[in-house]
Amino acid sequence: MKTATVFAAAKNCIDACSPDEKCQLATALYRDWQAGLLSFDTQDESESIDSPGRPEKPQLVSPRTLAHRKLGTPEGRAALLHAIAHIEFNAVNLACDALYQFRGMPEEYYQDWARVASEEAYHFSLLQQRLVDMGYTYGDFDAHNGLWEMACKTAHDVLVRMALVPRVLEARGLDVTPSMIERLRKQGDDASVKILAIIFRDEIGHVEIGSRWFRFVCEQRGLDSELTFRELLQEYMQGRMKGPFEREARQQAGFSMNELVMLEEMSRKGPG
């Protein structure tokens, strides 16, 4: 008998402050969904979440104040992995919030984001263990709150959320991860390279899920998806898109050629 809802399970995960507990809850969320233990029928309405549960550290600061460290030093490599771990920690919250915040979607939508939450938790655990192996831990470096700030800006509409979180913020990882892998490989850090390769593979699938549900909602509302995506980039990003773009990975993640050309034009022209 289903005694809990996927929405309550997702909210519990978002609220958890301990990274270990959050990852355990995300893993359990997908496991329980697969086992048929969670219902997605509910009369409860979602409520805005200003701030998800998080540990006291890392300290959240402006992105402009984050120190840039060279990968040629162990501390520099640890700082890079910490930054990625922070993204993955936030990605657990974002996946759970995509579950929690938006009601009335098809059952497959909730299954997709439950799987994403579990995989993001796995990514975080890999990075956390790698940091420990290097003599560090999550929280040892400052971080920023940009990902969750966008979650708050898009909490009112699943269309806007799917367009801007998976297809803009998370898709940026598809562009920059290959070069990070190469730089770490040149430093002989094969252990970190293996972790980033796993993350890169999975993130293509995560962005594809965002692309697929973005187009689903556009079709439901009778909207042209490419035109709508352009309009949302202008409204929320002021047309500021940073390239270059990893075309092959983005195409696998559901970007059309027209969208890629548009993004490249925006990156050259700047806001407008």
Side-chain angles (χ1 to χ4, degrees):
M1 180 178 178
K2 297 177 181 180
T3 59
T5 70
V6 67
F7 307 111
K11 182 66 161 54
N12 287 340
C13 184
I14 294 169
D15 289 343
C17 294
S18 160
D20 288 343
E21 183 185 5
K22 192 181 292 288
C23 289
Q24 290 167 4
L25 288 171
T27 302
L29 169 62
Y30 186 46
R31 183 189 63 231
D32 290 349
W33 174 270
Q34 287 181 303
L37 300 177
L38 297 176
S39 166
F40 64 97
D41 295 321
T42 181
Q43 300 301 316
D44 296 335
E45 294 185 2
S46 62
E47 56 188 45
S48 178
I49 301 173
D50 294 332
S51 180
R54 63 180 184 85
E56 291 184 6
K57 291 185 177 182
Q59 180 180 348
L60 300 182
V61 300
S62 168
R64 297 184 183 87
T65 66
L66 290 174
H68 294 279
R69 297 173 173 87
K70 295 182 179 179
L71 287 187
T73 66
E75 184 184 36
R77 290 193 293 277
L80 172 65
L81 295 177
H82 187 279
I84 301 170
H86 183 66
I87 290 171
E88 299 300 322
F89 179 82
N90 275 277
V92 176
N93 290 326
L94 289 166
C96 287
D97 195 63
L99 278 170
Y100 171 76
Q101 205 65 245
F102 306 110
R103 312 295 166 92
M105 294 292 285
E107 182 174 347
E108 292 79 10
Y109 171 89
Y110 302 106
Q111 178 175 309
D112 280 344
W113 288 109
R115 176 169 66 84
V116 171
S118 177
E119 290 178 352
E120 303 289 22
Y122 173 59
H123 297 166
F124 176 86
S125 67
L126 290 175
L127 290 161
Q128 166 68 332
Q129 185 57 55
R130 179 63 185 139
L131 284 169
V132 170
D133 292 343
M134 299 172 71
Y136 296 87
T137 192
Y138 179 61
D140 283 352
F141 300 89
D142 291 345
H144 67 83
N145 200 34
L147 282 171
W148 190 256
E149 288 171 358
M150 181 60 80
C152 293
K153 291 178 183 177
T154 60
H156 65 289
D157 190 341
V158 65
L159 174 74
V160 182
R161 171 67 64 84
M162 293 298 108
L164 298 180
V165 173
R167 305 193 88 224
V168 174
L169 299 188
E170 296 186 63
R172 188 64 188 146
L174 305 184
D175 304 324
V176 301
T177 302
S179 63
M180 289 192 292
I181 288 174
E182 186 57 33
R183 289 162 64 198
L184 288 169
R185 183 177 285 118
K186 288 180 178 178
Q187 295 298 325
D189 191 347
D190 293 337
S192 297
V193 165
K194 289 178 182 178
I195 294 171
L196 264 61
I198 292 170
I199 293 173
F200 182 69
R201 176 201 67 199
D202 291 346
E203 292 299 340
I204 290 174
H206 299 175
V207 177
E208 189 278 329
I209 286 170
S211 294
R212 179 155 33 87
W213 289 111
F214 170 67
R215 293 201 171 93
F216 172 86
V217 180
C218 283
E219 185 175 347
Q220 270 194 327
R221 299 182 187 180
L223 300 172
D224 180 284
S225 62
E226 292 179 354
L227 178 60
T228 301
F229 189 48
R230 176 188 287 273
E231 290 173 345
L232 290 172
L233 292 180
Q234 293 291 355
E235 179 179 354
Y236 285 87
M237 309 298 295
Q238 292 75 50
R240 295 185 179 94
M241 297 302 298
K242 187 175 182 180
F245 304 98
E246 187 71 21
R247 278 197 172 202
E248 182 178 351
R250 279 183 176 255
Q251 283 183 294
Q252 292 177 34
F255 283 82
S256 70
M257 186 55 69
N258 286 338
E259 287 174 327
L260 290 172
V261 170
M262 174 191 70
L263 290 171
E264 288 165 356
E265 288 177 349
M266 284 185 172
S267 70
R268 290 192 295 268
K269 293 179 180 179

